[in-house]
Amino acid sequence: VKNIGILCSGGDSPGMNCAIRAVVRTAISRGIQVTGIKRGYAGLLRGEFMQMNLSSVGNIIQRGGTILQTSRSPEFQKVEFRKKAVDILRAQHIDGLIIIGGDGSFNGAMALWKEHQFPVVGIPGTIDNDISNTEYTIGFNTAVQTAIEAVDRIRDTAHSHARTFLVEVMGRNSSAIALKVGVCTGAENILLPHDKVNHQKLVDDINRGIARGKESSIIIVAEGPVAGRSYDIQHVLKDMYHLDAHVAILGHIQRGGSPVADDRFIASQMGNMAVEALLGGNVPSVTVVQKGKVLMTDLANCTTKADHNYIEYSGLAETLSI
Ligand code: ADP
Protein backbone atom coordinates (compact mmCIF):
# COMPACT_ATOMS: atom_id res chain seq x y z
CA VAL A 1 0.00 0.00 0.00
CA LYS A 2 1.43 3.36 -1.08
CA ASN A 3 -1.54 5.69 -1.02
CA ILE A 4 -4.31 5.42 1.58
CA GLY A 5 -7.70 6.99 0.99
CA ILE A 6 -9.68 8.11 4.03
CA LEU A 7 -13.33 9.13 4.33
CA CYS A 8 -16.05 9.69 6.92
CA SER A 9 -19.55 8.32 6.26
CA GLY A 10 -22.95 8.42 7.97
CA GLY A 11 -23.52 10.73 10.95
CA ASP A 12 -20.60 12.79 12.21
CA SER A 13 -19.29 12.31 15.74
CA PRO A 14 -16.81 14.13 17.97
CA GLY A 15 -13.38 12.54 17.69
CA MET A 16 -13.53 11.72 13.99
CA ASN A 17 -10.90 14.44 13.47
CA CYS A 18 -8.59 12.78 16.01
CA ALA A 19 -8.82 9.57 13.99
CA ILE A 20 -8.13 11.39 10.70
CA ARG A 21 -5.12 13.07 12.27
CA ALA A 22 -3.78 9.77 13.59
CA VAL A 23 -4.19 8.10 10.20
CA VAL A 24 -2.43 10.91 8.33
CA ARG A 25 0.45 11.26 10.78
CA THR A 26 1.02 7.50 11.09
CA ALA A 27 0.96 6.99 7.33
CA ILE A 28 3.31 9.88 6.61
CA SER A 29 5.73 8.68 9.28
CA ARG A 30 5.79 5.34 7.44
CA GLY A 31 6.40 7.03 4.05
CA ILE A 32 2.83 6.47 2.83
CA GLN A 33 0.70 9.07 1.06
CA VAL A 34 -2.83 9.88 2.30
CA THR A 35 -5.66 11.14 0.12
CA GLY A 36 -8.60 12.71 1.91
CA ILE A 37 -11.97 11.95 0.33
CA LYS A 38 -14.58 14.59 1.07
CA ARG A 39 -18.25 13.92 1.92
CA GLY A 40 -18.12 10.14 2.25
CA TYR A 41 -19.07 7.71 -0.48
CA ALA A 42 -21.00 10.46 -2.30
CA GLY A 43 -17.83 12.58 -2.54
CA LEU A 44 -15.85 9.54 -3.64
CA LEU A 45 -18.26 9.02 -6.54
CA ARG A 46 -17.76 12.68 -7.49
CA GLY A 47 -13.96 12.45 -7.20
CA GLU A 48 -13.69 14.96 -4.35
CA PHE A 49 -10.10 14.41 -3.26
CA MET A 50 -7.63 16.44 -1.21
CA GLN A 51 -4.00 15.56 -0.66
CA MET A 52 -3.28 15.32 3.07
CA ASN A 53 -0.03 16.46 4.63
CA LEU A 54 1.23 16.89 8.19
CA SER A 55 -0.23 20.37 8.53
CA SER A 56 -3.61 19.59 6.99
CA VAL A 57 -4.42 17.78 10.23
CA GLY A 58 -2.81 20.40 12.49
CA ASN A 59 -5.02 22.06 15.10
CA ILE A 60 -7.96 19.67 14.59
CA ILE A 61 -7.59 17.27 17.52
CA GLN A 62 -9.93 19.40 19.65
CA ARG A 63 -12.52 20.08 16.95
CA GLY A 64 -15.87 18.29 16.72
CA GLY A 65 -17.41 17.21 13.42
CA THR A 66 -15.10 16.12 10.62
CA ILE A 67 -12.83 18.25 8.45
CA LEU A 68 -13.46 15.79 5.61
CA GLN A 69 -17.22 16.24 6.04
CA THR A 70 -19.58 13.30 5.68
CA SER A 71 -22.74 12.20 3.88
CA ARG A 72 -25.22 9.46 3.21
CA SER A 73 -25.11 8.09 -0.33
CA PRO A 74 -28.09 6.09 -1.63
CA GLU A 75 -26.18 5.50 -4.91
CA PHE A 76 -23.43 3.63 -3.11
CA GLN A 77 -25.96 0.94 -2.16
CA LYS A 78 -25.96 -0.12 -5.83
CA VAL A 79 -23.40 -2.51 -7.24
CA GLU A 80 -22.73 -0.45 -10.40
CA PHE A 81 -21.83 2.64 -8.38
CA ARG A 82 -19.44 0.66 -6.20
CA LYS A 83 -17.71 -0.50 -9.40
CA LYS A 84 -17.45 3.13 -10.44
CA ALA A 85 -16.04 4.02 -6.99
CA VAL A 86 -13.30 1.41 -7.30
CA ASP A 87 -12.43 2.64 -10.80
CA ILE A 88 -12.12 6.17 -9.44
CA LEU A 89 -9.96 4.99 -6.50
CA ARG A 90 -7.63 3.04 -8.79
CA ALA A 91 -7.34 5.93 -11.27
CA GLN A 92 -6.28 8.07 -8.30
CA HIS A 93 -3.69 5.39 -7.37
CA ILE A 94 -5.37 4.85 -4.01
CA ASP A 95 -4.71 1.24 -3.00
CA GLY A 96 -6.30 1.05 0.45
CA LEU A 97 -9.30 2.74 2.07
CA ILE A 98 -10.04 3.69 5.69
CA ILE A 99 -13.71 4.30 6.47
CA ILE A 100 -14.77 6.12 9.64
CA GLY A 101 -18.48 5.55 10.28
CA GLY A 102 -21.18 3.24 11.59
CA ASP A 103 -22.40 -0.24 10.66
CA GLY A 104 -24.05 1.06 7.48
CA SER A 105 -20.78 2.51 6.27
CA PHE A 106 -19.03 -0.77 7.15
CA ASN A 107 -21.53 -2.66 4.98
CA GLY A 108 -20.54 -0.41 2.09
CA ALA A 109 -16.86 -1.11 2.82
CA MET A 110 -17.51 -4.85 3.02
CA ALA A 111 -19.14 -4.72 -0.41
CA LEU A 112 -16.02 -3.04 -1.87
CA TRP A 113 -13.96 -5.90 -0.51
CA LYS A 114 -16.29 -8.70 -1.60
CA GLU A 115 -16.95 -7.35 -5.08
CA HIS A 116 -13.51 -5.95 -5.93
CA GLN A 117 -11.09 -7.18 -3.24
CA PHE A 118 -10.39 -3.55 -2.50
CA PRO A 119 -8.45 -3.39 0.82
CA VAL A 120 -10.60 -1.70 3.48
CA VAL A 121 -10.26 -0.95 7.19
CA GLY A 122 -13.08 0.47 9.31
CA ILE A 123 -12.93 2.78 12.32
CA PRO A 124 -16.18 2.92 14.36
CA GLY A 125 -17.40 6.50 14.62
CA THR A 126 -20.92 7.22 15.88
CA ILE A 127 -22.31 8.75 19.06
CA ASP A 128 -24.77 5.84 19.34
CA ASN A 129 -22.27 3.17 20.47
CA ASP A 130 -24.39 0.61 18.66
CA ILE A 131 -21.97 -1.53 16.61
CA SER A 132 -21.59 -5.27 17.19
CA ASN A 133 -18.36 -6.62 18.71
CA THR A 134 -16.97 -3.31 19.88
CA GLU A 135 -17.52 -1.90 23.34
CA TYR A 136 -16.92 1.60 22.06
CA THR A 137 -17.50 3.88 19.11
CA ILE A 138 -15.79 7.25 18.74
CA GLY A 139 -18.00 10.11 19.93
CA PHE A 140 -20.10 8.28 22.49
CA ASN A 141 -18.61 9.72 25.67
CA THR A 142 -18.59 13.26 24.30
CA ALA A 143 -22.28 12.99 23.43
CA VAL A 144 -23.02 11.57 26.88
CA GLN A 145 -21.06 14.37 28.55
CA THR A 146 -22.92 17.02 26.54
CA ALA A 147 -26.27 15.48 27.46
CA ILE A 148 -25.30 15.25 31.15
CA GLU A 149 -24.42 18.95 31.24
CA ALA A 150 -27.75 19.80 29.61
CA VAL A 151 -29.73 17.64 32.04
CA ASP A 152 -27.89 19.18 35.03
CA ARG A 153 -29.07 22.60 33.85
CA ILE A 154 -32.60 21.36 33.35
CA ARG A 155 -32.51 19.87 36.86
CA ASP A 156 -31.86 23.33 38.31
CA THR A 157 -35.09 24.61 36.80
CA ALA A 158 -37.01 21.42 37.48
CA HIS A 159 -36.05 21.68 41.15
CA SER A 160 -36.72 25.41 41.46
CA HIS A 161 -40.22 25.03 40.06
CA ALA A 162 -40.89 21.51 41.38
CA ARG A 163 -41.54 20.19 37.90
CA THR A 164 -41.29 17.01 35.89
CA PHE A 165 -39.20 17.08 32.71
CA LEU A 166 -39.06 14.60 29.87
CA VAL A 167 -35.59 14.94 28.37
CA GLU A 168 -35.17 13.20 25.05
CA VAL A 169 -31.67 12.07 24.09
CA MET A 170 -30.30 10.79 20.79
CA GLY A 171 -29.20 7.26 19.98
CA ARG A 172 -31.94 6.02 17.67
CA ASN A 173 -32.55 2.36 18.51
CA SER A 174 -29.65 2.19 20.92
CA SER A 175 -30.19 2.48 24.69
CA ALA A 176 -26.58 3.35 25.39
CA ILE A 177 -26.80 7.14 25.61
CA ALA A 178 -30.10 7.11 27.52
CA LEU A 179 -28.89 4.65 30.16
CA LYS A 180 -25.51 6.24 30.77
CA VAL A 181 -27.02 9.73 30.93
CA GLY A 182 -29.82 8.45 33.16
CA VAL A 183 -27.45 6.88 35.69
CA CYS A 184 -25.11 9.90 35.63
CA THR A 185 -27.86 12.48 36.18
CA GLY A 186 -29.83 10.53 38.77
CA ALA A 187 -32.85 10.39 36.49
CA GLU A 188 -36.05 9.20 38.14
CA ASN A 189 -36.93 7.13 35.08
CA ILE A 190 -35.37 6.01 31.81
CA LEU A 191 -37.52 5.06 28.84
CA LEU A 192 -35.62 2.84 26.42
CA PRO A 193 -36.14 2.89 22.64
CA HIS A 194 -38.38 -0.14 22.45
CA ASP A 195 -40.11 0.20 25.79
CA LYS A 196 -43.85 0.25 25.54
CA VAL A 197 -44.41 3.21 27.81
CA ASN A 198 -46.25 2.31 31.01
CA HIS A 199 -47.77 5.69 31.78
CA GLN A 200 -49.44 4.49 34.97
CA LYS A 201 -46.11 3.35 36.40
CA LEU A 202 -44.48 6.59 35.32
CA VAL A 203 -47.11 8.61 37.15
CA ASP A 204 -46.93 6.33 40.21
CA ASP A 205 -43.15 6.74 40.34
CA ILE A 206 -43.40 10.51 40.08
CA ASN A 207 -46.05 10.68 42.79
CA ARG A 208 -44.07 8.36 45.04
CA GLY A 209 -41.11 10.72 44.65
CA ILE A 210 -43.24 13.73 45.51
CA ALA A 211 -44.66 11.91 48.56
CA ARG A 212 -41.18 11.30 49.90
CA GLY A 213 -40.19 14.92 49.38
CA LYS A 214 -38.66 15.05 45.91
CA GLU A 215 -38.90 18.46 44.31
CA SER A 216 -38.32 17.39 40.72
CA SER A 217 -38.38 14.45 38.35
CA ILE A 218 -36.23 13.93 35.31
CA ILE A 219 -37.31 11.25 32.86
CA ILE A 220 -34.77 10.39 30.20
CA VAL A 221 -36.45 9.34 26.96
CA ALA A 222 -34.41 7.50 24.30
CA GLU A 223 -35.54 8.91 20.98
CA GLY A 224 -36.11 5.54 19.30
CA PRO A 225 -36.64 5.28 15.56
CA VAL A 226 -38.47 8.62 15.37
CA ALA A 227 -37.38 11.67 17.37
CA GLY A 228 -40.12 13.51 19.24
CA ARG A 229 -41.86 10.68 21.10
CA SER A 230 -41.59 12.74 24.29
CA TYR A 231 -44.45 14.90 23.06
CA ASP A 232 -46.72 11.86 22.78
CA ILE A 233 -45.86 10.85 26.33
CA GLN A 234 -46.40 14.43 27.53
CA HIS A 235 -49.89 14.47 26.02
CA VAL A 236 -50.92 11.20 27.62
CA LEU A 237 -49.63 12.31 31.02
CA LYS A 238 -51.64 15.51 30.70
CA ASP A 239 -54.85 14.11 29.23
CA MET A 240 -55.16 10.92 31.23
CA TYR A 241 -53.37 11.70 34.49
CA HIS A 242 -53.57 15.52 34.71
CA LEU A 243 -49.83 15.59 35.18
CA ASP A 244 -47.92 18.50 33.63
CA ALA A 245 -44.51 17.56 32.29
CA HIS A 246 -42.16 19.74 30.27
CA VAL A 247 -40.34 18.42 27.25
CA ALA A 248 -36.72 19.15 26.28
CA ILE A 249 -35.38 17.45 23.17
CA LEU A 250 -31.62 17.76 23.21
CA GLY A 251 -31.25 16.91 19.52
CA HIS A 252 -28.18 17.78 17.53
CA ILE A 253 -26.34 19.64 20.28
CA GLN A 254 -25.29 16.11 21.31
CA ARG A 255 -23.52 15.49 18.02
CA GLY A 256 -21.09 18.39 18.00
CA GLY A 257 -18.51 19.84 20.31
CA SER A 258 -14.95 19.27 21.37
CA PRO A 259 -14.20 15.57 21.98
CA VAL A 260 -13.60 14.47 25.59
CA ALA A 261 -10.41 12.64 26.58
CA ASP A 262 -11.69 9.10 25.91
CA ASP A 263 -12.73 9.97 22.37
CA ARG A 264 -9.40 11.61 21.59
CA PHE A 265 -7.42 8.79 23.17
CA ILE A 266 -9.30 5.92 21.55
CA ALA A 267 -9.53 7.65 18.15
CA SER A 268 -5.78 8.30 18.18
CA GLN A 269 -5.06 4.63 18.85
CA MET A 270 -7.60 3.46 16.28
CA GLY A 271 -6.28 5.74 13.53
CA ASN A 272 -2.76 4.52 14.15
CA MET A 273 -3.80 0.87 14.24
CA ALA A 274 -5.92 1.15 11.09
CA VAL A 275 -2.89 2.26 9.06
CA GLU A 276 -0.75 -0.56 10.46
CA ALA A 277 -3.49 -3.05 9.55
CA LEU A 278 -3.60 -1.81 5.95
CA LEU A 279 0.18 -1.93 5.66
CA GLY A 280 0.29 -5.39 7.19
CA GLY A 281 -2.35 -6.72 4.79
CA ASN A 282 -4.80 -7.34 7.64
CA VAL A 283 -7.96 -6.66 5.59
CA PRO A 284 -10.90 -6.39 5.62
CA SER A 285 -10.68 -5.40 9.26
CA VAL A 286 -11.90 -2.89 11.80
CA THR A 287 -10.52 -1.31 14.93
CA VAL A 288 -12.55 -2.15 18.03
CA VAL A 289 -12.47 -1.92 21.81
CA GLN A 290 -12.74 -5.30 23.53
CA LYS A 291 -12.22 -5.79 27.27
CA GLY A 292 -11.07 -2.19 27.38
CA LYS A 293 -8.30 -2.63 24.79
CA VAL A 294 -8.08 -1.22 21.27
CA LEU A 295 -7.43 -4.02 18.79
CA MET A 296 -8.30 -5.30 15.29
CA THR A 297 -11.02 -7.72 14.29
CA ASP A 298 -12.57 -8.91 11.01
CA LEU A 299 -14.79 -6.29 9.42
CA ALA A 300 -17.53 -8.90 9.11
CA ASN A 301 -17.88 -8.87 12.91
CA CYS A 302 -18.96 -5.23 12.90
CA THR A 303 -21.55 -4.97 10.14
CA THR A 304 -24.60 -5.27 12.36
CA LYS A 305 -26.09 -3.12 15.10
CA ALA A 306 -25.89 -4.17 18.73
CA ASP A 307 -27.43 -2.87 21.92
CA HIS A 308 -24.67 -4.33 24.11
CA ASN A 309 -25.23 -4.94 27.78
CA TYR A 310 -26.29 -1.48 28.77
CA ILE A 311 -29.59 -2.93 29.80
CA GLU A 312 -27.93 -4.17 33.01
CA TYR A 313 -27.61 -0.54 34.08
CA SER A 314 -31.36 -0.15 33.93
CA GLY A 315 -31.74 -1.83 37.33
CA LEU A 316 -28.93 0.28 38.76
CA ALA A 317 -30.66 3.48 37.67
CA GLU A 318 -33.91 2.32 39.21
CA THR A 319 -32.34 1.33 42.52
CA LEU A 320 -30.45 4.59 42.90
CA SER A 321 -33.37 6.85 42.06
CA ILE A 322 -35.90 5.60 44.66
P1 ADP B 1 -23.84 4.65 9.54
O1 ADP B 1 -22.57 4.33 8.86
O2 ADP B 1 -23.66 5.71 10.58
O3 ADP B 1 -24.54 3.42 10.06
P2 ADP B 1 -25.75 4.81 7.34
O4 ADP B 1 -26.46 3.58 7.73
O5 ADP B 1 -26.53 5.99 6.90
O6 ADP B 1 -24.80 5.37 8.50
O7 ADP B 1 -24.74 4.41 6.16
C1 ADP B 1 -23.90 5.37 5.58
C2 ADP B 1 -23.73 5.08 4.11
O8 ADP B 1 -23.11 3.80 3.94
C3 ADP B 1 -25.02 4.98 3.31
O9 ADP B 1 -25.50 6.24 2.90
C4 ADP B 1 -24.57 4.16 2.11
O10 ADP B 1 -23.88 4.97 1.17
C5 ADP B 1 -23.57 3.20 2.72
N1 ADP B 1 -24.23 1.92 3.01
C6 ADP B 1 -25.04 1.62 4.05
N2 ADP B 1 -25.48 0.35 3.99
C7 ADP B 1 -24.93 -0.18 2.87
C8 ADP B 1 -25.01 -1.47 2.22
N3 ADP B 1 -25.73 -2.48 2.74
N4 ADP B 1 -24.31 -1.62 1.07
C9 ADP B 1 -23.60 -0.62 0.55
N5 ADP B 1 -23.49 0.59 1.10
C10 ADP B 1 -24.14 0.83 2.24
Side-chain angles (χ1 to χ4, degrees), residues 9-11 41 71-74 76-78 82 101-109 111 125-126 172 305:
S9 168
Y41 294 128
S71 72
R72 296 198 162 90
S73 165
F76 200 77
Q77 307 257 12
K78 298 184 187 137
R82 292 195 293 270
D103 59 297
S105 305
F106 293 170
N107 274 291
T126 160
R172 284 193 264 179
K305 285 201 192 298

Side-chain angles (χ1 to χ4, degrees), residues 221-241:
V221 183
E223 66 181 354
V226 188
R229 67 195 276 245
S230 305
Y231 287 115
D232 301 335
I233 299 167
Q234 180 190 38
H235 289 142
V236 176
L237 294 181
K238 172 89 183 147
D239 296 346
M240 292 183 58
Y241 301 93

